[in-house]
Coordinates of all heavy atoms in Angstrom, one line a residue:
M13 N 105.9 63.7 50.9 CA 106.7 64.8 50.3 C 106.1 65.5 49.2 O 105.3 64.9 48.4 CB 108.0 64.0 49.6 CG 109.2 64.8 49.4 SD 110.5 64.0 48.7 CE 111.6 63.8 50.1
G14 N 106.1 66.8 49.2 CA 105.3 67.6 48.3 C 106.1 67.8 46.9 O 107.2 67.3 46.8
L15 N 105.6 68.3 45.9 CA 106.1 68.6 44.7 C 107.5 69.4 44.7 O 108.3 68.9 44.1 CB 105.1 69.2 43.7 CG 105.6 69.5 42.3 CD1 106.0 68.2 41.6 CD2 104.6 70.3 41.6
L16 N 107.4 70.4 45.5 CA 108.6 71.3 45.6 C 109.8 70.5 46.3 O 110.8 70.6 45.8 CB 108.3 72.6 46.4 CG 109.2 73.6 46.4 CD1 109.7 74.0 45.0 CD2 108.9 74.7 47.3
D17 N 109.4 69.6 47.2 CA 110.5 68.9 47.7 C 111.1 67.8 46.8 O 112.3 67.7 46.7 CB 110.0 68.1 49.1 CG 109.6 69.1 50.1 OD1 110.2 70.1 50.3 OD2 108.7 68.6 51.0
N18 N 110.2 67.3 46.1 CA 110.7 66.3 44.9 C 111.6 67.1 44.0 O 112.6 66.5 43.6 CB 109.5 65.7 44.2 CG 108.8 64.8 45.0 OD1 109.3 64.1 46.0 ND2 107.6 64.5 44.7
V19 N 111.2 68.3 43.5 CA 112.0 69.0 42.6 C 113.3 69.5 43.1 O 114.4 69.3 42.5 CB 111.2 70.3 42.1 CG1 112.1 71.1 41.2 CG2 109.9 70.0 41.3
K20 N 113.4 69.8 44.4 CA 114.6 70.3 45.1 C 115.5 69.0 45.2 O 116.6 69.0 44.9 CB 114.3 70.7 46.5 CG 113.9 72.2 46.6 CD 113.7 72.7 47.9 CE 113.0 74.1 47.9 NZ 112.9 74.5 49.3
A21 N 115.0 67.8 45.6 CA 115.8 66.7 45.6 C 116.4 66.1 44.3 O 117.5 65.8 44.2 CB 114.9 65.5 46.2
K22 N 115.5 66.4 43.3 CA 116.2 66.1 41.9 C 117.1 67.0 41.4 O 118.1 66.7 40.6 CB 115.0 66.0 40.8 CG 113.9 65.0 41.2 CD 114.2 63.8 40.6 CE 113.0 62.8 40.9 NZ 113.3 61.5 40.6
L23 N 117.0 68.3 41.7 CA 117.9 69.4 41.3 C 119.1 69.5 42.1 O 120.1 70.2 41.7 CB 117.2 70.7 41.1 CG 116.2 70.8 40.0 CD1 115.4 72.1 40.0 CD2 116.7 70.4 38.7
S24 N 119.3 69.0 43.3 CA 120.4 69.1 44.2 C 121.7 68.7 43.5 O 122.7 69.4 43.7 CB 120.2 68.4 45.5 OG 121.3 68.5 46.4
P25 N 121.8 67.5 43.0 CA 123.1 67.2 42.3 C 123.6 68.2 41.3 O 124.8 68.5 41.1 CB 122.8 65.8 41.7 CG 121.6 65.3 42.4 CD 120.8 66.4 42.8
A26 N 122.6 68.7 40.4 CA 122.8 69.6 39.3 C 123.4 70.9 40.1 O 124.3 71.5 39.5 CB 121.6 70.0 38.5
K27 N 122.8 71.4 41.2 CA 123.3 72.6 41.8 C 124.7 72.5 42.3 O 125.5 73.4 42.2 CB 122.3 72.9 43.0 CG 122.6 74.2 43.7 CD 121.7 74.4 44.9 CE 122.3 75.6 45.7 NZ 121.6 75.9 46.9
D28 N 125.0 71.2 42.8 CA 126.4 71.1 43.4 C 127.3 71.0 42.1 O 128.4 71.6 42.3 CB 126.4 69.7 44.1 CG 125.6 69.6 45.4 OD1 125.3 70.7 45.9 OD2 125.3 68.5 45.7
K29 N 127.0 70.5 41.1 CA 127.7 70.4 39.8 C 128.0 71.9 39.3 O 129.1 72.3 39.1 CB 127.3 69.6 38.7 CG 128.2 69.3 37.6 CD 127.7 68.3 36.8 CE 128.7 68.0 35.5 NZ 128.3 67.1 34.7
V30 N 126.9 72.6 39.2 CA 127.0 74.1 38.8 C 127.9 74.8 39.7 O 128.8 75.6 39.3 CB 125.6 74.7 38.6 CG1 125.8 76.2 38.4 CG2 125.1 74.0 37.5
S31 N 127.8 74.6 41.0 CA 128.6 75.4 42.0 C 130.1 75.1 41.9 O 130.9 75.9 41.9 CB 128.0 74.9 43.5 OG 128.9 75.7 44.4
G32 N 130.3 73.8 41.7 CA 131.7 73.4 41.5 C 132.3 74.0 40.3 O 133.4 74.5 40.2
L33 N 131.6 74.0 39.1 CA 132.1 74.7 37.9 C 132.2 76.1 38.0 O 133.2 76.7 37.5 CB 131.0 74.4 36.8 CG 131.0 72.9 36.2 CD1 129.8 72.8 35.3 CD2 132.3 72.7 35.5
A34 N 131.4 76.8 38.8 CA 131.5 78.1 39.1 C 132.6 78.4 39.8 O 133.4 79.5 39.6 CB 130.3 78.6 39.7
Q35 N 133.1 77.6 40.8 CA 134.3 77.8 41.5 C 135.5 77.7 40.8 O 136.5 78.4 40.8 CB 134.3 76.8 42.7 CG 133.4 77.1 43.9 CD 133.4 76.1 45.0 OE1 133.9 74.9 44.8 NE2 132.9 76.4 46.2
R36 N 135.5 76.7 39.9 CA 136.7 76.4 39.0 C 136.9 77.4 37.9 O 138.0 77.8 37.6 CB 136.7 74.9 38.5 CG 137.0 74.0 39.5 CD 137.3 72.6 38.8 NE 136.0 72.0 38.2 CZ 135.1 71.4 38.6 NH1 135.1 70.9 40.0 NH2 134.0 70.9 38.0
H37 N 135.8 77.7 37.3 CA 135.9 78.6 36.1 C 135.3 80.0 36.2 O 135.0 80.7 35.3 CB 135.2 77.9 35.0 CG 135.6 76.5 34.7 ND1 136.9 76.3 34.3 CD2 135.2 75.3 35.0 CE1 137.2 75.0 34.0 NE2 136.1 74.3 34.5
G38 N 135.2 80.4 37.5 CA 134.5 81.7 37.7 C 135.3 82.8 37.0 O 134.6 83.8 36.5
D39 N 136.6 83.0 37.2 CA 137.4 84.0 36.7 C 137.2 84.0 35.1 O 137.1 85.2 34.6 CB 138.9 83.8 37.0 CG 139.1 84.0 38.5 OD1 138.4 84.6 39.1 OD2 140.1 83.5 38.9
T40 N 137.2 82.9 34.5 CA 137.0 82.8 33.2 C 135.7 83.4 32.6 O 135.5 84.2 31.7 CB 137.2 81.4 32.5 OG1 138.5 80.9 33.0 CG2 137.0 81.3 31.1
V41 N 134.6 83.0 33.3 CA 133.3 83.4 33.1 C 133.1 84.9 33.3 O 132.5 85.6 32.5 CB 132.3 82.7 33.9 CG1 130.8 83.2 33.8 CG2 132.2 81.2 33.5
Q42 N 133.7 85.4 34.4 CA 133.5 86.9 34.7 C 134.3 87.7 33.6 O 133.9 88.8 33.2 CB 134.1 87.2 36.0 CG 133.1 86.7 37.1 CD 133.3 87.3 38.4 OE1 134.1 88.1 38.6 NE2 132.5 86.8 39.4
H43 N 135.5 87.1 33.1 CA 136.2 87.8 32.0 C 135.3 87.8 30.8 O 135.4 88.8 29.9 CB 137.5 87.1 31.7 CG 138.4 87.7 30.6 ND1 138.9 88.8 30.6 CD2 138.6 87.1 29.4 CE1 139.5 89.1 29.4 NE2 139.3 87.9 28.8
G44 N 134.7 86.6 30.4 CA 133.8 86.7 29.3 C 132.6 87.6 29.4 O 132.2 88.2 28.4
L45 N 132.1 87.8 30.7 CA 131.0 88.8 30.8 C 131.5 90.1 30.5 O 130.8 90.9 29.8 CB 130.5 88.7 32.3 CG 129.6 87.5 32.6 CD1 129.4 87.4 34.0 CD2 128.3 87.5 31.9
D46 N 132.7 90.5 31.0 CA 133.3 91.8 30.8 C 133.5 92.0 29.2 O 133.2 93.1 28.7 CB 134.6 92.0 31.5 CG 134.5 92.1 33.0 OD1 133.4 92.6 33.4 OD2 135.4 91.9 33.7
K47 N 134.1 91.0 28.5 CA 134.3 91.1 27.2 C 132.9 91.3 26.4 O 132.9 92.2 25.5 CB 135.0 89.8 26.8 CG 135.7 89.9 25.4 CD 136.6 88.7 25.1 CE 137.2 88.7 23.9 NZ 138.1 87.5 23.6
A48 N 131.9 90.5 26.7 CA 130.6 90.6 26.0 C 130.0 92.0 26.2 O 129.5 92.6 25.4 CB 129.7 89.5 26.5
A49 N 130.1 92.5 27.5 CA 129.5 93.9 27.9 C 130.2 94.8 27.0 O 129.6 95.8 26.6 CB 129.8 94.1 29.4
K50 N 131.5 94.7 27.0 CA 132.3 95.8 26.2 C 131.8 95.7 24.7 O 131.7 96.8 24.1 CB 133.7 95.5 26.2 CG 134.7 96.5 25.4 CD 136.1 96.2 25.6 CE 136.9 97.1 24.7 NZ 138.4 96.7 24.7
V51 N 131.7 94.6 24.1 CA 131.3 94.5 22.7 C 129.9 95.0 22.5 O 129.6 95.8 21.6 CB 131.3 93.0 22.2 CG1 130.7 92.8 20.9 CG2 132.7 92.5 22.1
V52 N 129.0 94.7 23.3 CA 127.6 95.1 23.2 C 127.6 96.7 23.4 O 127.0 97.3 22.7 CB 126.8 94.5 24.3 CG1 125.4 95.1 24.4 CG2 126.5 93.0 23.9
D53 N 128.5 97.1 24.3 CA 128.4 98.7 24.5 C 128.9 99.4 23.3 O 128.5 100.4 22.9 CB 129.2 98.9 25.8 CG 129.1 100.4 26.3 OD1 128.0 101.0 26.2 OD2 130.0 101.1 26.9
E54 N 130.0 98.8 22.6 CA 130.6 99.4 21.4 C 129.5 99.3 20.3 O 129.3 100.3 19.6 CB 131.8 98.6 21.0 CG 133.0 99.0 22.0 CD 134.2 98.0 21.7 OE1 134.2 97.2 20.8 OE2 135.2 98.3 22.3
K55 N 128.8 98.2 20.2 CA 127.8 98.0 19.1 C 126.6 99.0 19.2 O 126.0 99.5 18.3 CB 127.2 96.6 19.0 CG 128.2 95.7 18.6 CD 128.5 95.7 17.2 CE 129.4 94.5 16.8 NZ 129.8 94.7 15.4
T56 N 126.3 99.3 20.6 CA 125.2 100.3 20.8 C 125.6 101.8 21.0 O 124.9 102.6 21.3 CB 124.4 99.9 22.1 OG1 125.3 99.8 23.3 CG2 123.7 98.5 21.9
K57 N 126.9 101.9 20.6 CA 127.6 103.3 20.8 C 127.3 103.9 22.2 O 127.2 105.1 22.2 CB 127.0 104.1 19.6 CG 127.4 103.5 18.3 CD 127.0 104.4 17.1 CE 127.5 103.8 15.9 NZ 126.5 103.5 14.9
G58 N 127.4 103.1 23.2 CA 127.3 103.6 24.6 C 125.9 104.1 25.0 O 125.6 104.6 26.1
K59 N 124.9 103.8 24.2 CA 123.5 104.2 24.3 C 123.0 103.6 25.7 O 122.2 104.3 26.4 CB 122.6 104.1 23.3 CG 121.2 104.6 23.4 CD 120.4 104.4 22.1 CE 119.0 104.8 22.3 NZ 118.2 104.6 21.1
Y60 N 123.4 102.3 25.9 CA 122.8 101.5 27.0 C 123.8 101.2 28.0 O 123.9 100.1 28.8 CB 122.1 100.2 26.5 CG 121.1 100.5 25.6 CD1 121.2 100.4 24.1 CD2 119.8 101.0 26.0 CE1 120.2 100.7 23.3 CE2 118.8 101.3 24.9 CZ 118.9 101.1 23.7 OH 118.0 101.4 22.9
S61 N 124.9 102.0 28.2 CA 126.0 101.7 29.0 C 125.6 101.3 30.5 O 126.1 100.4 31.1 CB 127.0 102.8 29.2 OG 127.6 103.0 27.9
G62 N 124.7 102.3 31.0 CA 124.3 102.0 32.4 C 123.6 100.8 32.6 O 123.8 100.0 33.6
K63 N 122.8 100.3 31.6 CA 122.0 99.2 31.8 C 122.9 97.9 31.5 O 122.7 96.9 32.2 CB 120.8 99.1 30.7 CG 119.7 100.2 31.1 CD 118.6 100.0 30.0 CE 117.6 101.1 30.3 NZ 116.9 101.0 31.5
I64 N 123.9 98.1 30.6 CA 124.9 97.0 30.4 C 125.6 96.7 31.7 O 125.9 95.6 32.1 CB 125.7 97.3 29.3 CG1 124.9 97.2 27.9 CG2 126.9 96.4 29.1 CD1 125.5 97.9 26.7
Q65 N 126.2 97.7 32.4 CA 127.0 97.7 33.5 C 126.1 97.1 34.6 O 126.6 96.3 35.4 CB 127.5 99.0 33.9 CG 128.6 99.5 32.9 CD 129.8 98.5 32.8 OE1 130.1 97.9 33.7 NE2 130.0 98.4 31.4
T66 N 124.9 97.5 34.8 CA 124.0 96.9 35.8 C 123.8 95.4 35.6 O 123.8 94.6 36.5 CB 122.6 97.6 35.8 OG1 122.8 99.0 36.1 CG2 121.7 97.0 36.9
G67 N 123.5 95.1 34.4 CA 123.3 93.6 34.0 C 124.5 92.8 34.2 O 124.5 91.7 34.8
T68 N 125.8 93.4 33.9 CA 127.0 92.7 34.1 C 127.3 92.5 35.7 O 127.7 91.5 36.0 CB 128.1 93.5 33.4 OG1 127.9 93.5 32.1 CG2 129.5 92.7 33.6
G69 N 127.0 93.5 36.4 CA 127.2 93.4 37.8 C 126.3 92.3 38.5 O 126.7 91.6 39.4
K70 N 125.0 92.3 37.9 CA 124.1 91.3 38.5 C 124.5 89.9 38.2 O 124.5 88.9 38.9 CB 122.7 91.6 38.0 CG 122.1 92.7 38.7 CD 120.6 93.0 38.2 CE 120.0 94.1 39.0 NZ 118.6 94.5 38.7
A71 N 125.0 89.7 36.9 CA 125.5 88.4 36.4 C 126.7 88.0 37.3 O 126.8 86.8 37.7 CB 125.8 88.4 34.9
K72 N 127.7 88.9 37.6 CA 128.8 88.6 38.4 C 128.4 88.2 39.8 O 129.1 87.4 40.4 CB 129.8 89.8 38.3 CG 130.5 89.9 36.9 CD 131.5 91.2 37.1 CE 132.4 91.3 35.8 NZ 133.3 92.4 35.9
G73 N 127.5 89.0 40.3 CA 126.9 88.7 41.7 C 126.4 87.2 41.8 O 126.5 86.5 42.7
A74 N 125.6 86.9 40.7 CA 125.1 85.6 40.6 C 126.2 84.4 40.6 O 126.1 83.5 41.2 CB 124.1 85.4 39.4
M75 N 127.3 84.8 39.7 CA 128.2 83.8 39.7 C 129.0 83.7 41.1 O 129.3 82.6 41.5 CB 129.4 84.3 38.7 CG 129.0 84.0 37.3 SD 129.0 82.3 37.0 CE 130.6 81.8 37.4
D76 N 129.1 84.7 41.8 CA 129.8 84.7 43.1 C 128.9 83.9 44.1 O 129.4 83.2 44.8 CB 130.0 86.2 43.7 CG 131.1 86.9 42.9 OD1 132.0 86.2 42.3 OD2 131.2 88.1 43.1
R77 N 127.6 84.1 44.0 CA 126.7 83.4 44.9 C 126.8 81.8 44.6 O 126.7 81.0 45.4 CB 125.3 83.9 44.7 CG 125.1 85.2 45.5 CD 123.6 85.5 45.6 NE 122.9 85.4 44.4 CZ 122.9 86.6 43.6 NH1 123.5 87.7 43.8 NH2 122.2 86.4 42.4
L78 N 126.9 81.5 43.3 CA 126.9 80.1 42.9 C 128.2 79.5 43.3 O 128.2 78.3 43.7 CB 126.9 80.0 41.3 CG 125.4 80.0 40.7 CD1 125.6 80.1 39.3 CD2 124.7 78.8 41.3
A79 N 129.4 80.2 43.2 CA 130.6 79.7 43.6 C 130.8 79.4 45.1 O 131.7 78.6 45.5 CB 131.7 80.7 43.0
H80 N 130.1 80.1 46.0 CA 130.2 79.8 47.4 C 129.4 78.8 47.9 O 128.2 78.8 47.7 CB 129.8 81.1 48.1 CG 130.9 82.3 47.8 ND1 130.8 83.3 47.0 CD2 132.1 82.5 48.4 CE1 131.8 84.0 47.0 NE2 132.6 83.6 47.9
K81 N 130.1 77.8 48.3 CA 129.2 76.6 48.9 C 128.9 76.9 50.3 O 129.4 77.8 50.9 CB 130.2 75.4 48.9 CG 130.3 74.8 47.5 CD 130.8 73.4 47.5 CE 130.9 72.7 46.3 NZ 130.2 71.6 46.1
D82 N 127.9 76.0 50.8 CA 127.4 76.2 52.3 C 128.7 75.9 53.2 O 129.4 75.1 52.9 CB 126.3 75.1 52.5 CG 125.1 75.3 51.7 OD1 124.9 76.6 51.2 OD2 124.3 74.5 51.5
G83 N 128.7 76.7 54.3 CA 129.7 76.5 55.2 C 131.0 77.4 54.9 O 131.8 77.6 55.8
M84 N 131.1 77.9 53.7 CA 132.2 78.9 53.4 C 131.9 80.3 53.9 O 130.8 80.8 53.6 CB 132.6 78.7 51.9 CG 133.2 77.5 51.4 SD 133.6 77.6 49.7 CE 135.0 78.5 49.8
E85 N 132.8 81.0 54.5 CA 132.6 82.2 55.0 C 133.2 83.2 53.9 O 134.2 82.9 53.4 CB 133.2 82.5 56.4 CG 132.5 81.6 57.5 CD 131.1 82.1 57.7 OE1 130.8 83.3 57.7 OE2 130.3 81.3 58.0
G86 N 132.6 84.2 53.8 CA 133.1 85.3 52.9 C 132.2 86.5 52.8 O 131.2 86.4 53.5
P87 N 132.5 87.4 52.1 CA 131.6 88.7 52.0 C 130.2 88.2 51.5 O 130.2 87.5 50.5 CB 132.4 89.6 51.1 CG 133.6 89.0 50.8 CD 133.6 87.5 51.3
G88 N 129.2 88.8 52.0 CA 127.9 88.4 51.7 C 127.4 87.1 52.2 O 126.2 86.8 51.9
D89 N 128.0 86.4 53.1 CA 127.5 85.3 53.6 C 126.9 85.4 55.1 O 127.5 84.9 56.0 CB 128.7 84.1 53.7 CG 129.1 83.7 52.4 OD1 128.3 83.8 51.4 OD2 130.2 83.0 52.3
G90 N 126.0 86.2 55.1 CA 125.4 86.6 56.4 C 126.2 87.6 57.2 O 127.3 88.2 56.6
G91 N 125.7 88.0 58.1 CA 126.4 89.2 59.0 C 126.3 90.5 58.3 O 125.4 90.7 57.5
T92 N 127.1 91.4 58.7 CA 127.0 92.8 58.3 C 127.9 92.9 57.1 O 129.1 92.6 57.2 CB 127.4 93.7 59.5 OG1 126.5 93.4 60.6 CG2 127.1 95.2 59.0
P93 N 127.4 93.6 56.1 CA 128.4 93.8 54.9 C 129.3 94.9 55.4 O 129.2 95.7 56.2 CB 127.5 94.4 53.9 CG 126.2 94.8 54.5 CD 126.1 94.1 55.8
P94 N 130.6 94.9 54.6 CA 131.5 95.8 55.1 C 131.0 97.3 54.5 O 130.3 97.4 53.7 CB 132.7 95.4 54.2 CG 132.2 94.6 53.2 CD 131.0 93.9 53.6
P95 N 131.6 98.2 55.3 CA 131.2 99.6 54.8 C 131.7 99.9 53.5 O 132.8 99.5 53.0 CB 131.8 100.6 55.9 CG 132.9 99.7 56.5 CD 132.5 98.3 56.4
A96 N 131.0 100.7 52.8 CA 131.2 101.2 51.4 C 132.6 102.0 51.4 O 133.4 101.9 50.5 CB 130.3 101.9 50.7
S97 N 132.7 102.8 52.3 CA 133.9 103.7 52.4 C 134.2 104.0 53.8 O 133.2 104.0 54.6 CB 133.6 105.0 51.6 OG 132.7 105.7 52.1
P98 N 135.3 104.5 54.2 CA 135.6 104.9 55.6 C 134.8 106.1 55.9 O 134.4 106.9 55.1 CB 137.1 105.2 55.7 CG 137.5 105.3 54.2 CD 136.5 104.6 53.4
P99 N 134.5 106.2 57.3 CA 133.8 107.5 57.6 C 134.5 108.6 57.5 O 135.9 108.6 57.6 CB 133.4 107.1 59.2 CG 134.3 106.0 59.6 CD 134.7 105.3 58.3
P100 N 134.0 109.8 57.3 CA 134.7 111.0 57.1 C 135.4 111.5 58.4 O 134.9 111.2 59.5 CB 133.7 112.1 56.7 CG 132.3 111.5 57.1 CD 132.5 110.0 57.2
A101 N 136.6 111.9 58.3 CA 137.3 112.4 59.4 C 136.8 113.9 59.8 O 136.5 114.7 59.0 CB 138.9 112.5 59.0
S102 N 136.7 114.0 61.1 CA 136.2 115.3 61.7 C 137.2 116.2 62.2 O 138.2 115.8 62.8 CB 135.0 115.2 62.7 OG 134.4 114.1 62.7

C-alpha cells in the first residue's frame, strides 16, 4: 500500500463526518456565506463585488459537493447538466 492509499484510508472517516455535517447544516453555512459576502462587499464599498460573488459561488458549490454522498443522484452527479435556459422559439 502506497503513501497516498494510507492517507486516503486515514482521512475516510473524517470525509464521511464532514459530509454528514454538510448535509445537516448546509443551509446554515450557505446563509453564513451570503451574510459574510454582504459584509465584505459593504466594507470594500462594492469595489470587489464580482470577485466576492465568484468566491461565494465556489464555496457554495464546494458545500453542495460535500453534502452529496456516493450513490445519491442529483444535479451535477454525472450525466448531462441541465440547460441554462430554454432554446429560443422560432
Side-chain angles (χ1 to χ4, degrees):
M13 199 183 257
L15 177 65
L16 189 57
D17 292 331
N18 287 337
V19 171
K20 284 183 181 180
K22 300 272 185 192
L23 292 179
S24 182
K27 181 182 175 191
D28 293 339
K29 187 171 185 175
V30 168
S31 179
L33 289 170
Q35 285 178 341
R36 285 192 298 267
H37 304 292
D39 292 338
T40 304
V41 171
Q42 289 194 8
H43 176 70
L45 286 169
D46 287 335
K47 198 171 179 181
K50 182 180 176 186
V51 169
V52 171
D53 196 33
E54 288 172 357
K55 293 287 183 180
T56 60
K57 298 181 175 127
K59 185 175 180 180
Y60 301 103
S61 290
K63 293 184 185 294
I64 292 168
Q65 292 304 318
T66 299
T68 303
K70 287 182 180 182
K72 286 181 178 183
M75 278 296 301
D76 288 342
R77 285 191 306 276
L78 279 173
H80 289 98
K81 287 195 174 240
D82 295 334
M84 291 182 72
E85 293 295 324
D89 290 345
T92 306
S97 61
S102 337

